[in-house]
Amino acid sequence: MENWSVDQVCSWLRQRNLGELVPKFREEEVSGAALLALNDRMVQQLVKKIGHQAVLMDLINKYQQQKSGLESLTYCCKTASPEFPEVISGKNLKSFFARYKTLQWTSSYALPDFPYDVKCILAEKKCPDHSMRIRIIEFLQADMTKYLEGSLYPNSQQYNIVVNALLQAYPFLDEDGNGFLLWKRALKDRFKYVRRPIEDDEQVLRNKCKFGHRRGQTRKSSFAENKPDDVQVQVEEEPVHLEDSAMDVHIKWLKEEYMKTQRNWKEVDNRMNVTIELRRKMISNKAPLKDILRLFPFLRCPYQLFREFQLLTHMDIYKKTVEILEIYSENILSLYVVRNNPINIMLQENLKRHTEEDILKYMKTTAACLLLPDVFGDDSSLFAAVNEEVKVLTPVLEVKNPFNVNSCEFALYVGREELAQLDDCTMALAALVAAFHVFDIPCPKRIHRTLNFLESLVFEVRSP
């Protein structure tokens, strides 16, 4: 492959159903040697579709694995020969055994025996929800650590092996061709999470020093998040570990800043980054929501709620919600199942009173949002309380005068207490989905289909 011309590379792409990539590869003059030199960043620039990126990187990795195996075998033969006695030493021998161990690990890996509830979901070929995905990732991480004899630093090839094994055993997890990268990213994040609190493992400490990780210092990344108003925010991928006294200082500052009318939002972002580990630990340990909000009151602000969601998932929930409502609103309103719904009747009455295009669009979008549970046959009382009192404990929207532009009100409630005031139905819907994830609240069965539909679009796991 190293000696292939551009034409031979293009022919190879067509044979593997990647013919769409041929014009771009010709334009960039990608020969065989250039193909094997591609890294993740280059592939992302060269190939637009995530599914094609995953397939291409998998093919390149498989070729390099085979090449590595041949090189190891040749090297082994050479080291056994008296002609090359000097190569059997130190670094070369260590490198050989590392390659051999990787090949051995590759050939012997098998998926772990998942718990009964995970097996049931997988047997039914259902798309797992957020909590079930976490359970699967936890078991894969523990199993990889066992295969790696306790090491918490798999290489890229080993991540690929495990994720490929998962998707080959359960192809429905690779919906729309995006599953590979999503599962790999989640698995890598899980290993990061496990390594964070470790202070006595020699390999972990060595790597922390190597990559500049120091206690009490921040590690910034180039990953920038988008606010709903398109303001760029700097986000840290890894929270730092602070002493209790330092953490108390940040929490005290956040509580005091929340009481101000003019807030330093840049500093709020920084301190929310620094304290995310404590916050996530409290949530995972099922701390009362009132205690979490008492320490971190900025989670009551819609933007910080969206930002927390983005830190956890790398997805812009507000932007995705805008896209969802723009695409599906007209289709929802045209469905027969909602024709005689009180929300739709209320909408039709109000449409007659206005002619402005913006107001009509606003009212239709609001109606489509509120009608979502009825489209899927779910319990609408678990989704929104329209002109009535909130009666459920799980995240739910309170909506007053939904079609009155001047007096409409949207609020997010959790545990029958108001969490946040919201500007419109788009922000309200985004906040509802984000709340389930940010506060790790199980989704009620009677609203599951609606939220599953929204999450599938937000995470781009399938086309409903």
Side-chain angles (χ1 to χ4, degrees):
M1 184 180 283
E2 294 93 331
N3 300 321
W4 282 3
S5 66
V6 175
D7 289 336
Q8 288 175 307
V9 170
C10 293
S11 176
W12 177 78
L13 290 172
R14 292 191 189 95
Q15 292 172 9
R16 282 151 182 80
N17 297 322
L18 297 173
E20 293 180 30
L21 310 182
V22 168
K24 187 65 176 176
F25 272 61
R26 285 193 185 278
E27 179 186 343
E28 300 293 338
E29 298 182 358
V30 180
S31 62
L35 179 67
L36 294 177
L38 293 176
N39 57 32
D40 289 345
R41 186 182 295 274
M42 294 176 184
V43 170
Q44 289 173 9
Q45 293 175 347
L46 197 62
V47 182
K48 291 183 179 180
K49 294 183 179 179
I50 293 178
H52 287 169
Q53 291 175 13
V55 171
L56 183 62
M57 287 304 299
D58 184 52
L59 290 170
I60 294 173
N61 287 333
K62 284 180 179 177
Y63 176 85
Q64 289 175 337
Q65 288 172 25
Q66 294 172 357
K67 180 184 174 185
S68 176
L70 291 173
E71 286 177 350
S72 297
L73 183 60
T74 304
Y75 185 79
C76 186
C77 293
K78 284 184 177 180
T79 54
S81 169
E83 291 182 47
F84 305 96
E86 70 277 9
V87 299
I88 312 180
S89 63
K91 208 169 183 180
N92 288 328
L93 190 60
K94 186 177 179 180
S95 175
F96 163 68
F97 281 116
R99 287 198 299 270
Y100 174 74
K101 190 173 181 180
T102 298
L103 291 170
Q104 190 177 39
W105 193 91
T106 303
S107 62
S108 64
Y109 182 76
L111 286 173
D113 187 22
F114 290 115
Y116 178 74
D117 58 335
V118 176
K119 285 182 180 178
C120 291
I121 294 292
L122 295 175
E124 294 174 5
K125 298 185 178 181
K126 290 183 178 179
C127 182
D129 59 18
H130 183 65
S131 60
M132 190 60 67
R133 283 174 178 269
I134 291 175
R135 294 206 66 194
I136 293 172
I137 287 296
E138 287 176 348
F139 273 85
L140 289 178
Q141 179 268 317
D143 195 58
M144 286 182 72
T145 304
K146 178 190 73 175
Y147 267 85
L148 294 168
E149 299 178 356
S151 172
L152 295 174
Y153 287 93
N155 59 37
S156 182
Q157 179 185 347
Q158 288 162 342
Y159 281 121
N160 292 343
I161 291 163
V162 173
V163 175
N164 277 326
L166 178 69
L167 298 185
Q168 286 174 9
Y170 307 103
F172 59 92
L173 297 178
D174 186 20
E175 299 179 40
D176 260 5
N178 298 329
F180 180 87
L181 293 180
L182 292 173
W183 285 100
K184 183 178 178 181
R185 176 75 253 181
L187 193 55
K188 292 177 77 172
D189 286 345
R190 177 64 191 174
F191 269 96
K192 280 185 181 180
Y193 179 81
V194 171
R195 290 194 299 261
R196 282 171 188 161
I198 295 177
E199 299 292 343
D200 57 357
D201 184 278
E202 183 180 348
Q203 185 185 11
V204 174
L205 292 176
R206 187 166 59 249
N207 278 273
K208 283 183 177 181
C209 293
K210 179 179 178 181
F211 294 106
H213 183 98
R214 294 291 185 274
R215 193 178 184 88
Q217 293 181 0
T218 59
R219 175 183 157 189
K220 294 183 179 180
S221 82
S222 59
F223 177 73
E225 312 279 357
N226 287 326
K227 289 186 181 182
D229 56 359
D230 295 330
V231 177
Q232 293 293 320
V233 183
Q234 189 72 25
V235 177
E236 297 168 13
E237 284 188 346
E238 270 190 56
V240 294
H241 300 271
L242 300 172
E243 300 292 349
D244 290 341
S245 58
M247 193 68 72
D248 289 341
V249 170
H250 290 294
I251 292 173
K252 182 180 178 182
W253 186 92
L254 288 167
K255 291 163 71 174
E256 291 175 351
E257 191 71 10
Y258 183 75
M259 302 304 295
K260 298 178 181 178
T261 53
Q262 296 294 327
R263 295 160 179 168
N264 183 347
W265 286 107
K266 184 176 181 180
E267 187 61 23
V268 170
D269 291 347
N270 291 336
R271 293 183 188 250
M272 289 293 283
N273 286 344
V274 171
T275 56
I276 189 172
E277 184 176 342
L278 173 62
R279 196 159 56 251
R280 300 319 305 168
K281 188 176 291 186
M282 289 180 66
I283 291 171
S284 65
N285 290 337
K286 305 300 181 186
L289 182 60
K290 62 180 181 180
D291 291 344
I292 297 167
L293 295 175
R294 179 174 54 81
L295 297 179
F296 306 103
F298 277 100
L299 287 179
R300 293 180 177 275
C301 300
Y303 158 63
Q304 283 297 332
L305 187 66
F306 299 156
R307 190 173 182 277
E308 189 91 352
F309 181 90
Q310 195 164 18
L311 284 167
L312 297 173
T313 66
H314 302 285
M315 289 290 180
D316 187 334
I317 182 69
Y318 183 83
K319 181 180 177 182
K320 289 289 183 183
T321 305
V322 171
E323 294 172 357
I324 291 169
L325 290 178
E326 285 182 351
I327 293 171
Y328 289 96
S329 290
E330 292 293 340
N331 290 338
I332 290 170
L333 295 176
S334 66
L335 293 174
Y336 178 80
V337 70
V338 302
R339 185 170 298 176
N340 296 319
N341 188 284
I343 296 292
N344 198 22
I345 294 172
M346 195 187 310
L347 168 68
Q348 299 306 322
E349 292 175 354
N350 281 272
L351 287 177
K352 298 173 184 177
R353 302 172 188 171
H354 299 276
T355 57
E356 298 91 336
E357 186 176 342
D358 290 344
I359 295 178
L360 296 177
K361 182 179 179 181
Y362 165 83
M363 289 194 293
K364 288 180 179 180
T365 304
T366 301
C369 173
L370 298 178
L371 287 169
L372 272 171
D374 298 282
V375 171
F376 294 97
D378 282 340
D379 186 347
S380 58
S381 67
L382 296 175
F383 185 82
V386 182
N387 293 330
E388 61 182 33
E389 182 183 353
V390 170
K391 299 177 182 178
V392 298
L393 295 173
T394 52
V396 66
L397 300 176
E398 182 193 55
V399 186
K400 296 180 180 178
N401 308 316
F403 302 115
N404 188 322
V405 179
N406 298 319
S407 63
C408 60
E409 295 179 12
F410 295 87
L412 174 65
Y413 275 69
V414 181
R416 292 182 189 159
E417 292 187 7
E418 183 180 305
L419 183 76
Q421 288 283 340
L422 307 156
D423 294 342
D424 53 34
C425 70
T426 305
M427 184 178 285
L429 185 58
L432 180 67
V433 176
F436 278 100
H437 284 269
V438 169
F439 300 113
D440 195 20
I441 298 173
C443 173
K445 290 183 179 179
R446 290 181 293 156
I447 198 67
H448 174 75
R449 283 173 291 192
T450 303
L451 291 181
N452 188 49
F453 165 79
L454 294 168
E455 289 177 355
S456 69
L457 294 174
V458 170
F459 294 111
E460 301 176 348
V461 295
R462 67 183 178 91
S463 297

